[in-house]
Amino acid sequence: MKYQQRLQVAVRERLRKLMTAPYISAGHEVHLAVTWINSQPALRGILEEASRAEPGVDRDRFRTGLTGNAPFIWPSRTEEGRATLIWDLMQAIAKADADDPSAGWRTASAYSSERRHQDSWREFAEDVLQPLFDFLSERVGAESSILHTLERYRTRTEWFDREELYTRFTADTANGEEVYNLDLQRFLFLEGDHITHAKPRSASGEADLVGDLDGRDPLVCDGKIFDGKSRGKSYLVKGVHQIIKYAHDYGQHTAYLVIYNITDKLLELPTDGTPGAWPPYTELSGVRVYFIHVRVAPPTTTASKAGKATRVTLTHDDLTNPDTT
């Protein structure tokens, strides 16, 4: 059974557990579901992308509608927005569970007109929580998470294809960046069904990879070599600002910068998200740029003999004040 199929089955099983949970432990079941979803890179990627699809979705109106003080109407315009609202609610219930185990069924009781707590929880789970799991199952089946696809590309390259790609790179260093970008383009098509076009023309120049140009949601993706020298921090900063311009050209609020690290240096990247969470990202000029760091240089020695690695840190200040890098 394919990975996507197994994950779809697991998503449906999590929904079944929520819907059949005793109302007294409903909050704890939500907590377990949130923990499990956070442990699945594909689902995290889907939810991360969904949160960017409908900026400004009215969370307060959603929460007020759940109290029964007003008719319940979904305030979102898209499936992504609805999924974001539900995910936020589940995280809030999970967080409250430690202090208030009744948080789950009390939320359900406020929403439902059923007199029995168990019936209230069932109605709440069907009406409010189930759409999130339907959304996740559908997106997993469509292999639509760009972040998950890029994570798999990083893993495949680092584990299996370092030597081959690096050999091709060193054979033609002047066009070495193209070696990696063409490999990424092929992977995006074969593994993620993202049809990309090499160097399409836009108002800001030629991006290395922009996908799905004929669709409603173009994929803006660019790849840059990091060699710690002529293509060092300033080169990456230039890449960030270029990809932001490409995103503006194609009316996108999200872009992906793949960094091919051909050195043995540890590259530390800034993030506006949770420290340590993958992938790091920065938000500039209304665009969220995800950094996909791929170590492409073959190791020259074993980890135990390598010694202390040199660190290179790209900071927010480097990005906002490029003249200082």
Side-chain angles (χ1 to χ4, degrees):
M1 188 182 294
K2 293 175 60 178
Y3 168 79
Q4 285 80 10
Q5 293 173 321
R6 293 198 301 270
L7 189 55
Q8 280 182 304
V9 170
V11 167
R12 305 311 299 181
E13 178 61 16
R14 282 289 162 181
L15 174 61
R16 185 195 66 78
K17 290 180 178 180
L18 279 175
M19 297 181 69
T20 59
Y23 76 89
I24 197 65
S25 60
H28 183 61
E29 198 63 48
V30 171
H31 171 78
L32 294 176
V34 168
T35 301
W36 179 77
I37 289 173
N38 277 325
S39 72
Q40 305 298 317
L43 302 185
R44 291 202 315 269
I46 290 170
L47 290 170
E48 186 71 35
E49 291 161 15
S51 70
R52 301 286 295 166
E54 189 178 340
V57 63
D58 197 336
R59 289 168 170 79
D60 292 336
R61 183 182 174 191
F62 171 63
R63 297 294 181 88
T64 300
L66 294 176
T67 64
N69 295 330
F72 178 73
I73 299 174
W74 288 101
S76 54
R77 302 185 306 275
T78 64
E79 290 186 350
E80 289 86 355
R82 182 173 63 179
T84 298
L85 290 172
I86 302 169
W87 178 234
D88 287 348
L89 174 64
M90 288 182 62
Q91 291 181 96
I93 293 174
K95 184 177 181 181
D97 175 67
D99 299 325
D100 182 9
S102 66
W105 67 262
R106 287 188 183 278
T107 303
S109 296
Y111 166 82
S112 175
S113 59
E114 296 287 347
R115 301 183 64 179
R116 294 179 65 247
H117 289 318
Q118 190 64 47
D119 294 337
S120 295
W121 171 250
R122 175 77 183 196
E123 182 180 10
F124 174 78
E126 287 182 345
D127 292 355
V128 179
L129 302 185
Q130 182 171 342
L132 171 65
F133 292 83
D134 291 340
F135 173 80
L136 292 175
S137 181
E138 178 183 339
R139 293 307 171 92
V140 167
E143 299 182 342
S144 62
S145 172
I146 297 169
L147 285 176
H148 179 54
T149 302
L150 289 172
E151 183 181 41
R152 292 176 62 198
Y153 175 75
R154 179 192 65 168
T155 301
R156 190 217 66 175
T157 301
E158 293 183 350
W159 287 14
F160 304 108
D161 294 339
R162 278 197 197 192
E163 286 78 7
E164 178 189 349
L165 289 170
Y166 191 72
T167 298
R168 290 161 54 190
F169 165 76
T170 54
D172 185 12
T173 55
N175 299 302
E177 204 166 82
E178 190 71 5
V179 169
Y180 288 106
N181 278 327
L182 287 174
D183 181 67
L184 173 59
Q185 183 178 21
R186 181 174 184 270
F187 188 89
L188 286 170
F189 173 68
L190 293 177
E191 301 296 328
D193 201 27
H194 301 294
I195 300 176
T196 58
H197 306 269
K199 298 188 180 302
R201 172 66 60 181
S202 75
S204 299
E206 295 179 338
D208 288 328
L209 293 172
V210 176
D212 302 328
L213 294 181
D214 297 328
R216 294 178 301 170
D217 192 21
L219 164 60
V220 179
C221 183
D222 211 354
K224 295 296 180 186
I225 289 287
F226 173 78
D227 63 7
K229 299 175 184 177
S230 60
R231 296 180 177 182
K233 288 171 57 174
S234 60
Y235 186 68
L236 296 184
V237 171
K238 181 181 177 181
V240 170
H241 288 273
Q242 282 180 338
I243 204 170
I244 288 173
K245 290 179 180 178
Y246 299 144
H248 288 163
D249 290 343
Y250 292 105
Q252 296 300 294
H253 298 286
T254 306
Y256 307 87
L257 183 66
V258 181
I259 301 171
Y260 308 110
N261 185 354
I262 64 170
T263 76
D264 59 359
K265 296 178 173 62
L266 295 179
L267 183 58
E268 296 184 344
L269 299 163
T271 186
D272 292 323
T274 304
W278 188 91
Y281 65 82
T282 190
E283 295 188 353
L284 292 172
S285 303
V287 177
R288 176 176 291 189
V289 179
Y290 288 100
F291 299 113
I292 313 299
H293 177 217
V294 186
R295 298 169 298 172
V296 297
T300 57
T301 184
T302 62
S304 61
K305 297 180 180 180
K308 188 175 181 179
T310 302
R311 293 180 181 272
V312 177
T313 302
L314 187 68
T315 67
H316 283 98
D317 189 60
D318 293 330
L319 296 175
T320 55
N321 299 286
D323 294 337
T324 64
T325 57

